[in-house]
Structure formats: C-alpha cells, structure tokens
Amino acid sequence: MSTLEALHSILHDRDAPEIIRNHITDVVQYALRNRGGFFTDKELRWFAEWDDTRIPIAANKLLNAAAAKE
C-alpha cells in the first residue's frame, strides 16, 4: 500500500511534471483493468475514491464484479 500512496502523492503534487502524473494514471488504470486480481479489496475501495475519473471507474468495476460473485 505504501507504493500506491507514494504514487497518489505524486499525482497530487502540482510540482510534478504532468507527463509523470499522466503516466502514473495510465499505469494504475492498466493494472486495474488487466491485473485487478493483484489488488486487495481495501486498495480497490481506496482507488475508487481517487480524483481522476479513470481510476475509480476501473476500481468500481472490480468491486462490483466481486460483489456480484458473493
């Protein structure tokens, strides 16, 4: 979780280059869509609260799929 928190802090650091922030968003979104099983429910709920719309959409899809299985 600490690595994810570090990435989150970079996303919110306005001094960080935009290309880096965009790359982080793209990588996290890719990981959620293609390797979502690697994340815990706690991490998915946390992703679902991020400001960028792409990451919460991908996280919510995984959370809804997990809820449908139960």
Side-chain angles (χ1 to χ4, degrees):
M1 187 78 170
S2 62
T3 301
L4 299 176
E5 290 170 344
L7 294 174
H8 189 259
S9 68
I10 292 169
L11 287 176
H12 286 87
D13 181 0
R14 294 299 167 201
D15 293 332
E18 184 175 350
I19 193 167
I20 299 297
R21 293 195 314 264
N22 289 337
H23 184 68
I24 290 170
T25 300
D26 292 343
V27 168
V28 171
Q29 180 186 15
Y30 177 87
L32 286 168
R33 288 188 174 176
N34 296 296
R35 301 285 188 236
F38 290 127
F39 298 104
T40 66
D41 285 343
K42 178 182 176 182
E43 291 167 339
L44 291 174
R45 287 191 306 273
W46 185 61
F47 280 136
E49 297 173 0
W50 281 28
D51 295 336
D52 186 282
T53 57
R54 295 171 289 174
I55 293 171
I57 289 171
N60 280 317
K61 284 183 182 180
L62 289 169
L63 288 170
N64 292 338
K69 287 182 182 178
E70 292 176 354

